[in-house]
Amino acid sequence: MEIRADAETSSFSSSLFAAVSYGFASMAMVFINKAVLMQYTYSMTLLTLQQLFTTLLIHFGRKMGYTRARGVDMETAKQLFPVSFFYNANVAFALASLKGVNIPMYIAIKRLTPLAVLIAGCFMGKGRPTTQVTLSVILTAAGVLIAALGDFSFDLFGYSLAFISVFFQTMYLVLVEKSGAEKGLSSVEIMFYNSFLSLPFLMFLIIATGEFPYSLSVLFAKSYSFTFLMILILSLVMGIVLNFTMFLCTIVNSALTTTIVGVLKGVGSTTFGFFLLGGVQVHALNVTGLVINTAGGVWYSYAKYQQKKSKTVKLVTDVEAHRK
């Protein structure tokens, strides 16, 4: 009994660490990317640099023995290609939307992801969630819509990009959970494959969109600014931290839990977004929507705790019945 209790405590600690780490990294990354894009508008080039930096760091880390991640396997690469595609499509559209949408509105739209994950999970054979889980996610999404009604500055193109990003993030999270659980890959290995496989696709994009080679010329010119250089380096480092914590959280927990964590950290991001990097005008509907959104997140956490507790009790009961 003591061994089982220790194992459960360790599992809970790992899940909590993964969720909290992802929440902090995700919140910081929104502001860092926004700060970079306010000075450097080439979002595709920024994403390419982040992925290249991640690939090289993990590669040399493996060569020097700092990580036990396995080398490239072509069969695994083929299986993980959809994960890489949806991830980069998600980030590409998200970064592009940040150029025209302020942070509170961006966060509000991205909070619709849990509802999309819930629906996708049903279609992909994960089974129907409990009534409380379903209602809590719907309440969270309803809070988003109410907050959006008191809108800040409306940008149809930016909104469209953000909604497309929600779709790609949904597919990405579901596929990451499946690949991590079924193929036994670590979060570092999935992160390496994701970054490595994205490079040809991103190189094609920056050429096709006309960013290259002008984006590099602008980058070199701005690199003389110490402030911009520090923000850019921080963006590259936090890109790795965010990817790692997101993959870890999705593997240790679930895709829906990961997105709910994103929703809850979004409350903090939205609050700071009203004042930082230009700020926006506060509206009563925004505050009302955020309160409803937070209530949905707390309700979801309670529902998942009750669900896990009931499964544990059932397991113990079944074992005792079997012994009799």
Side-chain angles (χ1 to χ4, degrees):
M1 291 294 291
E2 291 181 359
I3 296 177
R4 184 172 63 184
D6 290 341
E8 290 178 354
T9 302
S10 177
S11 176
F12 174 76
S13 299
S14 299
S15 300
L16 181 63
F17 171 77
V20 172
S21 299
Y22 166 61
F24 277 110
S26 182
M27 182 168 63
M29 195 60 181
V30 172
F31 288 94
I32 293 171
N33 278 335
K34 181 70 173 181
V36 174
L37 292 172
M38 288 175 68
Q39 302 182 55
Y40 183 73
T41 58
Y42 300 99
S43 58
M44 294 296 103
T45 303
L46 176 61
L47 177 57
T48 304
L49 290 174
Q50 290 174 344
Q51 296 295 65
L52 178 61
F53 187 69
T54 301
T55 301
L56 293 176
L57 187 65
I58 296 177
H59 173 71
F60 286 113
R62 185 175 65 243
K63 291 293 184 181
M64 298 173 67
Y66 290 114
T67 176
R68 297 180 180 179
R70 291 165 289 185
V72 177
D73 177 74
M74 292 308 298
E75 189 63 31
T76 303
K78 291 179 182 178
Q79 294 172 340
L80 287 178
F81 179 77
V83 173
S84 178
F85 171 79
F86 284 118
Y87 169 85
N88 287 283
N90 162 44
V91 178
F93 280 99
L95 284 176
S97 68
L98 267 177
K99 291 190 291 185
V101 178
N102 58 58
I103 290 178
M105 196 62 248
Y106 167 81
I107 294 295
I109 295 174
K110 293 292 283 184
R111 285 198 198 110
L112 294 175
T113 305
L115 181 59
V117 169
L118 194 68
I119 296 172
C122 293
F123 281 105
M124 298 184 73
K126 291 194 66 176
R128 175 176 289 184
T130 64
T131 302
Q132 285 202 62
V133 169
T134 302
L135 292 177
S136 65
V137 174
I138 293 176
L139 182 65
T140 303
V144 175
L145 297 177
I146 293 174
L149 288 176
D151 191 12
F152 330 102
S153 55
F154 181 80
D155 185 331
L156 179 60
F157 183 66
Y159 269 55
S160 300
L161 294 177
F163 277 116
I164 295 174
S165 174
V166 167
F167 166 76
F168 283 121
Q169 185 180 11
T170 300
M171 299 307 300
Y172 153 73
L173 286 170
V174 173
L175 288 174
V176 165
E177 182 181 8
K178 185 178 180 182
S179 63
E182 294 185 356
K183 300 179 179 62
L185 296 174
S186 69
S187 55
V188 174
E189 288 170 337
I190 296 181
M191 184 168 64
F192 174 75
Y193 277 107
N194 175 66
S195 302
F196 173 73
L197 293 172
S198 70
L199 292 177
F201 172 68
L202 291 174
M203 290 298 295
F204 170 78
L205 276 183
I206 63 175
I207 294 175
T209 57
E211 285 196 8
F212 183 83
Y214 302 107
S215 57
L216 292 183
S217 300
V218 175
L219 183 64
F220 287 134
K222 286 185 172 292
S223 63
Y224 289 99
S225 169
F226 179 78
T227 302
F228 173 78
L229 190 60
M230 289 298 99
I231 296 175
L232 178 63
I233 293 175
L234 185 59
S235 172
L236 298 179
V237 173
M238 284 303 299
I240 296 177
V241 175
L242 176 60
N243 287 342
F244 176 78
T245 54
M246 179 180 289
F247 282 120
L248 180 64
C249 185
T250 306
I251 292 173
V252 173
N253 297 296
S254 68
L256 186 58
T257 300
T258 302
T259 51
I260 286 292
V261 171
V263 166
L264 293 178
K265 65 87 189 175
V267 175
S269 299
T270 302
T271 302
F272 288 120
F274 281 123
F275 311 102
L276 300 178
L277 302 178
V280 294
Q281 184 178 357
V282 179
H283 194 286
L285 281 176
N286 301 145
V287 178
T288 302
L290 288 177
V291 171
I292 294 175
N293 175 271
T294 304
V298 173
W299 186 10
Y300 167 80
S301 300
Y302 175 76
K304 294 297 287 184
Y305 170 76
Q306 290 293 103
Q307 184 179 347
K308 186 174 182 179
K309 185 178 179 181
S310 63
K311 285 183 179 180
T312 302
V313 172
K314 184 178 184 301
L315 178 61
V316 172
T317 303
D318 290 343
V319 170
E320 292 179 348
H322 180 69
R323 288 176 178 176
K324 293 179 180 179

